Amino acid sequence: MTARILIIEDEALVAMELRFVLEDLGHEVVGTAADARSARALAAETEVDLALVDIHLSDGATGIELGRELGQVSGITILFMTANPGMVRDGVAGTIGVLTKPTDERAVQKAVDYALRRRKGVPVDYAPPELQLFG
Amino acid sequence: MPAASLAPHEDERLKALRAYGILDTGPEQAFEDIVSLLAEAFEAPIALVNLIESDRAWFKASVGTSGMTGSSREVSFCAHSIASGRDQLVVPDATTDARFADNPLVTGEPQLRFYAGHVLRTPEGHALGALCVHDIKARPDGITPLQSRMLEVLAGQVMAQFELRRAVKEREEGVKALAESESKFRAIADSMPQMVWSTLPDGFHDYYNARWYEFTGVPPGSTDGEGWNGMFHPEDQERAWARWQHSLQTGELYEIEYRLRRHDGVYRWTLGRAQPIRDEHGSITRWFGTCTDIDDLKRMEQGKELLSQELSHRIKNIFAVVSALIALSAREHPEARAFASAVRNRINALARAHEFVRPHSEVSKPTVGDTTLHTFLGALFRAYADGDGRPRVRIEGEDATFDDQAATSVALLFHELATNAAKYGALSAPGGHVLLRTRKAGDRFVLTWTEVGGPEVSEIPARTGFGTSLATLSVEGQLGGRLERQWLPGGLVVEADLPATALSRRRAALKST
């Protein structure tokens, strides 16, 4: 199951590593955005299945609102990836859950698989343990 | 001539006498009337209200003494009255009485013969002096019962007058002391950096100190009653009013933060506190309150909170960047993959531990449960859950909190144990699991790691890897504890025996000072 994935992350090294991991898994990374404005632009001009969203971006803690909007308005499946999961402790409507950084390839792979299965409506037994689900 | 002996408790008697504030005061009609009436009723030339001080007799009122205002105590008949211990003393003829026969007032002018006196006794029993009559003729028959009664009643009247005077004097002193304490209170209140106010029991404001008027800039008296509420920020008025009404109704301490308008129109965060003053029956007689400008403090706190959040974010982000850097570097060197993965996992365990370290700000708190050892270990071992998501490292026993000094060691120890178990031990076999027991034992904290259901242990591994050294170093070097490994046939058992304070050294240090 391959997908078109948008990485929203302001740390270039973290974004680059994530891109390699996702490409190794056969996904297509449609772009990398470091702030909310460029993320919206990318989401508007290209088709995106899944976005991995950091909360603290180069323009501040704009990730939460951005994730909510892309999930609810643009119909993109949203997974938060942050070093500060406490910021989304109460969950964000229209998004799946949060993965705590730093993490590893295996956890990213399982979380992305899980999110894409949910997007396709494929039944999933249980979520990977590293992923904290909302609601 | 034997002088009258001193009454017992003479010092106290003198103190009581002076407390009435009568000595050496001017003539007063009430006493003059009494001695005139007495002299007339006894048909005697002399009558006195006579007070006995330490060395003299002093007449508060007198008739027939030709301007004398007193005498020495030695020659005073009344001094004998009070020394007698009885209420009345009657001397029919002084010339035949051993106590008075050689008294100069008897042998010389005015040649006193007859004496009848009634002691002036305070409610506490002290004899201040006597009300008396003198005649220059002897009266062999003494006095009639009616005369005795008259002496008694009039002496009572004199004492009543004295009591009245003492009460007035005490009241005047009380008023003076009150005025003094009031001016002291105002001086203290006005020199305070805080605003001070007071209300009646119903909450009517009737006092503010100088600082209140200085801060608010309102004219004195303009915020009496309920006018104070208008000084609050419109958004805070209703809340403050409700809180204040609640305190008035219940008598509970009033404490609230609100924005108060300063004279320049700027609203400043203020801490308002008040407590009731109660009388001996427990009824509230007044409320005293203060307003403290906490605006600067609040700003500083917010700044500090922001800074610590920012630092916490950065620290966690650095772990993420380091972890990514290791993974990226290993891509160029496929032969280093296993090594990079091991380092990365250790870094990730450290990062996870720091998420659970205290203290936390409201925002940096982790998403799950409390920030305790058990919740952290649960999160660390989540990756080793079985196919149904059930944990394979089961944690039991007493929980504990840990701080940043212990975080690295705890994270590395359990990361190494779990990694090894997944490679060679109980977690490498499908049905295997680990039991992790934690318990407090006096001043020790003991963690026991027991592997169950893994491959049978046939011999103690000959070579110790870096991971094993890391675990030992963490416990014995950093935490000051002891780490013991036992390769039992059923699986590895590891016991980490730590000083109870090792997990929160900073807190333990704070407690002991």
Side-chain angles (χ1 to χ4, degrees), chain B residues 2-57:
Chain B
S5 57
L6 295 182
H9 315 298
E10 177 65 6
D11 286 346
E12 285 170 43
R13 190 192 72 81
L14 288 172
K15 222 168 112 185
L17 172 62
R18 284 163 195 152
Y20 281 88
I22 302 268
L23 286 169
D24 301 316
T25 54
E28 286 174 72
Q29 198 58 49
F31 300 109
E32 299 298 327
D33 287 349
I34 287 173
V35 287
S36 310
L37 179 66
L38 193 64
E40 276 175 45
F42 273 76
E43 294 176 2
I46 299 168
L48 309 168
V49 171
N50 194 2
L51 300 177
I52 309 301
E53 223 201 332
S54 55
D55 56 355
R56 61 169 179 157

Side-chain angles (χ1 to χ4, degrees), chain B residues 169-449:
Chain B
K169 184 168 170 249
E170 275 172 4
R171 197 165 151 261
E172 278 170 356
E173 280 168 359
V175 167
K176 205 173 134 204
L178 198 66
E180 198 174 309
S181 116
E182 168 96 7
S183 71
K184 266 188 205 156
F185 164 75
R186 280 179 193 270
I188 292 169
D190 283 345
S191 65
M192 272 171 75
Q194 285 168 310
M195 292 160 259
V196 179
W197 49 266
S198 172
T199 77
L200 302 178
D202 65 0
F204 186 93
H205 280 64
D206 61 356
Y207 169 77
Y208 295 93
N209 71 344
R211 178 75 186 119
W212 166 267
Y213 292 112
E214 187 190 326
F215 181 92
T216 58
V218 299
S222 63
T223 48
D224 283 1
E226 290 168 2
W228 56 275
N229 200 246
M231 303 305 299
F232 290 9
H233 191 284
E235 286 170 20
D236 299 338
Q237 288 181 5
E238 200 180 310
R239 188 170 52 93
W241 181 256
R243 185 71 195 79
W244 174 234
Q245 293 306 313
H246 175 79
S247 284
L248 284 179
Q249 274 152 32
T250 59
E252 280 172 28
L253 189 79
Y254 169 74
E255 188 170 310
I256 188 175
E257 289 181 10
Y258 50 76
R259 284 159 289 180
L260 184 65
R261 195 173 68 221
R262 201 169 56 185
H263 54 83
D264 56 1
V266 174
Y267 284 100
R268 305 265 300 170
W269 276 104
T270 303
L271 171 69
R273 296 183 91 241
Q275 60 181 35
I277 308 289
R278 294 172 187 276
D279 64 15
E280 66 270 26
H281 308 298
S283 309
I284 293 172
T285 57
R286 253 191 181 282
W287 284 84
F288 271 101
T290 54
C291 314
T292 311
D293 185 341
I294 53 167
D295 209 74
D296 293 340
L297 203 69
K298 235 177 151 67
R299 263 174 230 282
M300 241 157 63
E301 260 172 24
Q302 282 166 351
K304 244 167 70 181
E305 171 79 354
L306 225 63
L307 187 68
S308 78
Q309 270 175 36
E310 182 62 32
L311 278 176
S312 163
H313 285 167
R314 278 191 206 170
I315 290 168
K316 289 174 183 172
N317 216 38
I318 285 170
F319 279 117
V321 171
V322 168
S323 174
L325 194 57
I326 293 168
L328 283 170
S329 308
R331 281 182 178 270
E332 271 191 58
H333 303 280
E335 73 283 3
R337 275 232 155 150
F339 159 76
S341 168
V343 175
R344 195 180 184 193
N345 286 338
R346 282 174 186 144
I347 297 282
N348 290 2
L350 287 189
R352 202 51 44 88
H354 275 272
E355 196 191 328
F356 284 82
V357 158
R358 289 171 182 224
H360 285 288
S361 74
E362 198 42 45
V363 178
S364 70
K365 262 199 316 213
T367 39
V368 282
D370 292 326
T371 52
T372 63
L373 185 64
H374 283 195
T375 50
F376 158 61
L377 291 173
L380 186 68
F381 299 139
R382 201 175 290 146
Y384 301 100
D386 68 14
D388 296 324
R390 283 193 301 257
R392 295 177 72 193
V393 180
R394 292 159 203 170
I395 305 161
E396 285 181 358
E398 287 159 282
D399 208 347
T401 58
F402 64 107
D403 65 14
D404 56 326
Q405 287 187 324
T408 305
S409 311
V410 171
L412 286 178
L413 169 65
F414 288 103
H415 172 72
E416 298 310 325
L417 288 175
T419 308
N420 265 315
K423 274 190 204 157
Y424 317 111
L427 300 182
S428 70
H433 67 269
V434 178
L435 192 61
L436 176 55
R437 277 203 198 91
T438 61
R439 65 188 166 91
K440 285 186 192 114
D443 59 351
R444 312 295 295 176
F445 192 79
V446 183
L447 302 105
T448 312
W449 171 275

